[in-house]
Amino acid sequence: MTEEQPKKVESESASNPTPEPVIVHHEAPKHVSEEKPVIVDIGDIIGNSRSVEDIIGNNRSPSEAGVEKPSERSVNRDAVLERVATEKRLSLIKAWEESEKSKAENKAYKELAEISAWEKTKKANTEAELKKIEEQLEKKKAEYAEKLKNKIATIHKEAEEKRATIEAKKGEDLLKAEELAAKYRATGTEPKKLLGCF
């Protein structure tokens, strides 16, 4: 008897609305070298409760149920198997490529986010340091300005004291000159020293 082994078929994702046909292979009986592949719509298997054998039996013509042409089946089956293997390999490569691209994009996005966070932190720290230095400079500037104002006030005070001393001495000298002049007038004598050049 012929043992039928249906090939496992992975169903396509929900994004692909049209199901592709499934190729079911049967082992050839000992008296027949090869068998003809039967193309079955996946919708027939999924949508109906019929078994694969029922669908295969319905797709075969009465003449195919008996004796089949081995050369045509072999060529068709090999070509279909090769095409399925190629499509599977390309599908796996495409899925791998998309996965790697997604990983690369996620990695780059994460690294860019880390760089942005690092930049913001460094900028905030630098701006805080700059503000602190500016505050220190403003404080030093105010202190230095206060010292200079105090120094100016001290200089002004000293100058006023010196002016007052000179004014007092001038007053004393004028008074002394007036007293000596009055004395010379009273005595009728002349001063021994003459001020100025005569």
Side-chain angles (χ1 to χ4, degrees):
M1 298 202 102
T2 304
E3 292 181 11
E4 296 179 358
Q5 296 178 349
K7 186 175 179 180
K8 293 186 179 179
V9 178
E10 296 180 5
S11 63
E12 294 286 321
S13 63
S15 63
N16 191 355
T18 57
E20 293 188 13
V22 177
I23 300 171
V24 180
H25 299 281
H26 300 278
E27 287 187 9
K30 293 180 181 177
H31 65 281
V32 179
S33 62
E34 296 291 331
E35 68 177 40
K36 182 177 178 183
V38 178
I39 298 177
V40 180
D41 188 5
I42 192 77
D44 289 343
I45 296 172
I46 296 171
N48 299 323
S49 60
R50 297 187 308 172
S51 68
V52 175
E53 291 81 14
D54 291 342
I55 295 169
I56 292 170
N58 290 342
N59 286 339
R60 288 188 177 183
S61 66
S63 64
E64 291 175 340
V67 178
E68 298 175 353
K69 296 178 183 176
S71 62
E72 287 179 17
R73 285 188 325 201
S74 176
V75 170
N76 287 342
R77 189 181 90 179
D78 290 344
V80 169
L81 285 175
E82 185 177 335
R83 191 186 75 200
V84 167
T86 303
E87 288 176 1
K88 183 178 179 182
R89 184 174 63 250
L90 292 176
S91 175
L92 290 174
I93 291 170
K94 185 176 181 181
W96 176 85
E97 179 184 13
E98 289 176 1
S99 174
E100 290 299 312
K101 285 180 178 179
S102 176
K103 285 179 188 177
E105 286 178 4
N106 290 340
K107 183 179 179 182
Y109 179 79
K110 183 180 177 183
E111 289 175 352
L112 289 173
E114 288 175 359
I115 290 170
S116 295
W118 173 82
E119 180 184 19
K120 286 179 183 177
T121 304
K122 289 293 183 181
K123 278 185 177 179
N125 290 342
T126 305
E127 287 173 359
E129 187 177 348
L130 178 63
K131 189 174 181 181
K132 185 178 178 181
I133 290 171
E134 286 175 350
E135 288 173 358
Q136 289 174 350
L137 289 175
E138 286 294 324
K139 187 178 179 181
K140 285 183 179 180
K141 180 181 175 183
E143 289 173 0
Y144 194 66
E146 187 67 27
K147 285 180 184 177
L148 290 178
K149 286 179 184 177
N150 291 341
K151 189 173 183 179
I152 290 169
T154 304
I155 292 169
H156 182 68
K157 184 180 176 183
E158 288 177 8
E160 287 297 322
E161 288 174 357
K162 288 181 179 181
R163 282 190 195 102
T165 304
I166 291 172
E167 287 294 326
K169 189 174 181 185
K170 175 184 155 188
E172 287 175 6
D173 289 344
L174 288 175
L175 188 61
K176 186 177 179 182
E178 287 174 4
E179 289 174 0
L180 286 174
K183 182 180 174 184
Y184 290 134
R185 280 185 201 111
T187 58
T189 58
E190 293 181 7
K192 294 178 183 174
K193 287 193 219 176
L194 291 177
L195 295 173
C197 302
F198 288 108

